Amino acid sequence: MSLVRLCLLMLLVLALAAIAAVALGETPLTWSQYVQALTQPGSPPGEVLWTIRAPRVAVAALVGAALGLAGATMQGLLRNPLADPGVLGVSAVSGLGAAIAISAGLAAIPGAIELSALVGALVAGGLVVTLAARFREPEVLILFGVALSAFGGALTALVFNLSPSPVATAEILAWLMGSVQNRDAMDALRALIPMAIGVALCLRAGDGLRMLTLGEEAARMSALPMARLRVYAVAGAALLTGAAVAAAGVIGFVGLAAPHLVRALVRDDPKRILWPSALAGALLLVVADLAARLIPTEQELKLGVVTALFGAPAFGLLAWRAARSWRS
Amino acid sequence: MSAIWTLDAVTARQGRKTVLEAASLRVVSGEVVGIVGPNGAGKTSLLRAGLGLLPLEAGQARLSGQPVTSLKPEARARLVGYLPQERRAAWNLPARMIAALGASDLSDTEADALARACLTRVGAGDLADRGVLDMSGGERARVLLARLLATRAPLLVADEPVAGLDPDAQLLTLDLLRAEAAGGAAVVVTLHDLGLAARACDRVVVVSQGRIVAEGAPREALSKDVLAQVFGLDGGLVETSAGLVLAARRV
């Protein structure tokens, strides 16, 4: 299947999922209410569909696409199918940024938490980019990412520890679990700008990711400006991850799983996998968010909880399969 | 004839260890140069230092007269194609895409056509659509050789291109590289098999403990003394109907 055809097909499936996600939800609507929502967007059913659900679905799709693309980029750069957007520590530091903003009582200012999360992501991303420019070995980046993640986690725990009120603590916790509840069109638009830059950077790095298939030395001797492309890949993935965390909190496993869903369809190609991974990530998150809304629980399930509940066993399965192929 | 690749008293370190000391080398178009030496002697370091992959402590490495470190990747890739010893592939790309990596300067369709042609030359034409991780080590080595040929560079540098291959595949690989040299390219290969080096190379460079200790036509470079001192072998090269072979036993 050609790449264009694959993407069009995935786009179609995503569109169907998005329609289902806008149409279905906690509040069931009758046929006449659907008709009313379509004809009179300002009516109460119209409000439910267009003001509550549609922006939420849009944010879920954007965040999923960003995580899917960031995951595929990191897997290509680190030549490791188990890498994900969080591997460089960007998610953890971005989460820390949000925690600090909430704890400082900035939640009332619209966009303040998001901005703080994005700043966290940029700080972490800057550190990682500096490091990636100096060291070429994937192992160095992964180890540094582990350290940065742990440090970000520790500082977040410190924020919890010093948090003045249990309300703020609960708020931070809820935010960190990841959700696209109560998002409006502004949230989607705000996420769009850093994401667009991230997408452009990751796509530019595509040829370099493919060249890395044969290892660092072969890539360095190729005609490609690898040093620059590596920085594009790291910066792009960091921006996408940061924007995703800013928009929806920390949502695990989508960035890991999305590339795996489409890898066989592009013959393992780290360049051609980029667009399909983004679409797969969007699809995964739209469906996961729909599941979070439809699963009947007292408290609505957090999106990050749903993806982790399904994603963690899937990760185990992947690791199992990878381990078997390493042994043979 | 002007040299395409020169190393001028090159010294290089890896960590704290000096892996190459005052090594000088001159390679011209049309010749096949074999670099031999015991394990850990510095054969790979010699190539890497000369290509700018290893920072130099002293000396200068030049490609077509220009310092290798001053060349942009694109200009460097036009001058030299490199086949590293490492044959691992991170992803299971089809062979034609791996071979096409050597021709990233061409459009996708041109690169694909060239990749297929190179795969056919190395006897792997029927593997074009097979994933490289689904292949045997020998098959993958052919695909990687096809990638090297696809670079069309005037200098081809191959690190252990025949390691682990069948005798037939070893000879095919060296025949193909000789054909490139006959077509005007300069070819530099590191080899472990001294007999094979003597037969396939116009010139042999012997590396020992980071130094070039002998250099010249195979019979000169691999003299009885060098064989004894560097390789611990008692014997010499013997002319046969199939070319030079090594007849030796351990000292």
Side-chain angles (χ1 to χ4, degrees):
Chain A
M1 193 171 359
S2 82
L3 184 61
V4 175
R5 244 199 223 166
L6 174 64
C7 288
L8 285 177
L9 193 70
M10 293 186 74
L11 213 52
L12 185 70
V13 177
L14 177 62
L16 292 176
I19 290 169
V22 172
L24 305 174
E26 252 182 313
T27 324
L29 299 183
T30 62
W31 283 113
S32 59
Q33 282 174 311
Y34 279 124
V35 173
Q36 196 187 2
L38 285 172
T39 50
Q40 299 163 268
S43 61
E47 289 274 308
V48 171
L49 257 55
W50 308 124
T51 320
I52 298 176
R53 288 184 194 163
R56 173 180 187 147
V57 173
V59 171
L62 282 175
V63 167
L67 292 174
L69 180 54
T73 304
M74 287 326 297
Q75 292 182 3
L77 179 74
L78 301 176
R79 306 198 293 280
N80 190 332
L82 299 183
D84 78 344
V87 74
L88 296 182
V90 174
S91 319
V93 180
S94 185
L96 170 67
I100 290 172
I102 296 170
S103 157
L106 300 178
I109 305 168
I113 300 176
E114 286 85 346
L115 188 67
S116 182
L118 195 60
V119 167
L122 290 179
V123 168
L127 275 173
V128 179
V129 166
T130 315
L131 201 83
R134 286 193 58 149
F135 300 97
R136 275 175 284 265
E137 300 78 12
E139 294 80 7
V140 176
L141 281 181
I142 293 174
L143 287 176
F144 181 77
V146 169
L148 195 57
S149 271
F151 194 59
L155 288 179
T156 307
L158 183 68
V159 172
F160 273 124
N161 201 170
L162 301 179
S163 177
S165 76
V167 179
T169 309
E171 250 182 88
I172 295 171
L173 199 58
W175 198 88
L176 284 180
M177 280 195 283
S179 171
V180 287
Q181 220 173 343
N182 305 325
R183 295 302 190 273
D184 58 26
M186 262 316 285
D187 291 309
L189 283 177
R190 260 199 298 267
L192 213 51
I193 297 161
M195 281 182 187
I197 301 171
V199 168
L201 286 170
C202 287
L203 293 177
R204 282 289 298 277
D207 282 319
L209 299 181
R210 184 192 276 167
M211 194 59 87
L212 278 171
T213 302
L214 292 181
E216 208 58 63
E217 300 243 292
R220 266 176 82 190
M221 291 303 294
S222 76
L224 300 179
M226 285 306 299
R228 200 163 69 214
L229 296 184
R230 291 167 56 80
V231 169
Y232 286 172
V234 174
L239 260 177
L240 287 171
T241 310
V245 174
V250 181
I251 293 174
F253 297 105
V254 174
L256 172 74
H260 285 276
L261 290 178
V262 293
R263 179 153 287 133
L265 298 173
V266 295
R267 295 292 307 265
D268 260 29
D269 183 355
K271 180 186 179 186
R272 287 190 306 152
I273 202 171
L274 296 176
W275 276 119
S277 294
L279 291 169
L283 183 63
L284 275 178
L285 218 51
V286 168
V287 171
D289 179 51
L290 183 60
R293 282 183 281 150
L294 291 184
I295 294 170
T297 44
E298 190 100 334
Q299 287 279 321
E300 185 185 301
L301 286 178
K302 292 283 186 190
L303 187 50
V305 175
V306 175
T307 60
L309 275 178
F310 289 100
F315 184 84
L317 206 65
L318 275 178
W320 173 264
R321 275 175 49 186
R324 280 207 333 200
S325 75
W326 288 332
R327 206 170 45 192
S328 67
Chain B
M1 194 176 208
S2 71
I4 178 143
W5 197 24
T6 52
L7 276 75
D8 194 8
V10 163
T11 298
R13 238 180 269 270
Q14 201 150 33
R16 280 189 202 153
K17 196 178 160 228
T18 302
V19 288
L20 203 61
E21 211 168 335
S24 295
L25 184 69
R26 194 168 177 277
V27 179
V28 298
S29 299
E31 67 170 345
V32 178
V33 177
I35 295 172
V36 299
N39 285 320
K43 301 186 292 291
T44 299
S45 300
L46 179 69
L47 301 185
R48 296 182 69 232
L51 294 173
L53 291 172
L54 206 57
L56 303 186
E57 286 278 309
Q60 182 70 272
R62 291 171 192 275
L63 283 167
S64 276
Q66 290 156 286
V68 67
T69 43
S70 74
L71 288 168
K72 291 221 161 61
E74 218 185 327
R76 183 168 67 178
R78 264 201 298 274
L79 292 172
V80 56
Y82 177 49
L83 177 65
Q85 199 172 346
E86 174 69 66
R87 288 191 196 141
R88 245 183 318 191
W91 310 107
N92 198 15
L93 290 180
R96 58 186 163 77
M97 286 183 71
I98 293 287
L101 291 177
S104 60
D105 55 322
L106 301 181
S107 75
D108 282 0
T109 22
E110 286 172 324
D112 190 63
L114 178 65
R116 286 173 192 273
C118 290
L119 285 170
T120 305
R121 278 188 68 198
V122 301
D126 52 337
L127 299 177
D129 259 309
R130 182 111 63 91
V132 278
L133 298 183
D134 300 330
M135 294 178 177
S136 71
E139 288 169 331
R140 199 180 309 158
R142 287 182 187 219
V143 174
L144 295 178
L145 182 65
R147 186 201 64 91
L148 179 71
L149 297 180
T151 62
R152 297 145 292 143
L155 169 65
L156 299 176
V157 178
D159 197 1
E160 303 282 358
V162 301
L165 298 188
D166 292 340
D168 149 63
Q170 294 192 1
L171 294 176
L172 170 75
T173 301
L174 290 169
D175 281 349
L176 282 165
L177 290 172
R178 285 204 65 81
E180 291 296 306
V187 174
V188 179
V189 286
T190 64
L191 293 167
H192 266 290
D193 185 330
L194 301 179
L196 210 53
R199 219 176 319 161
C201 302
D202 303 312
R203 203 148 59 87
V204 170
V205 174
V206 184
V207 183
S208 175
Q209 296 180 343
R211 289 171 173 279
I212 293 177
V213 293
E215 187 186 345
R219 298 192 89 142
E220 290 166 40
L222 295 171
S223 66
K224 210 168 157 45
D225 284 350
V226 169
L227 287 175
Q229 280 160 22
V230 176
F231 297 95
L233 291 174
D234 175 22
L237 294 171
V238 181
E239 187 77 52
T240 70
S241 57
L244 291 168
V245 293
L246 179 73
R249 58 169 167 245
R250 294 177 64 211
V251 172

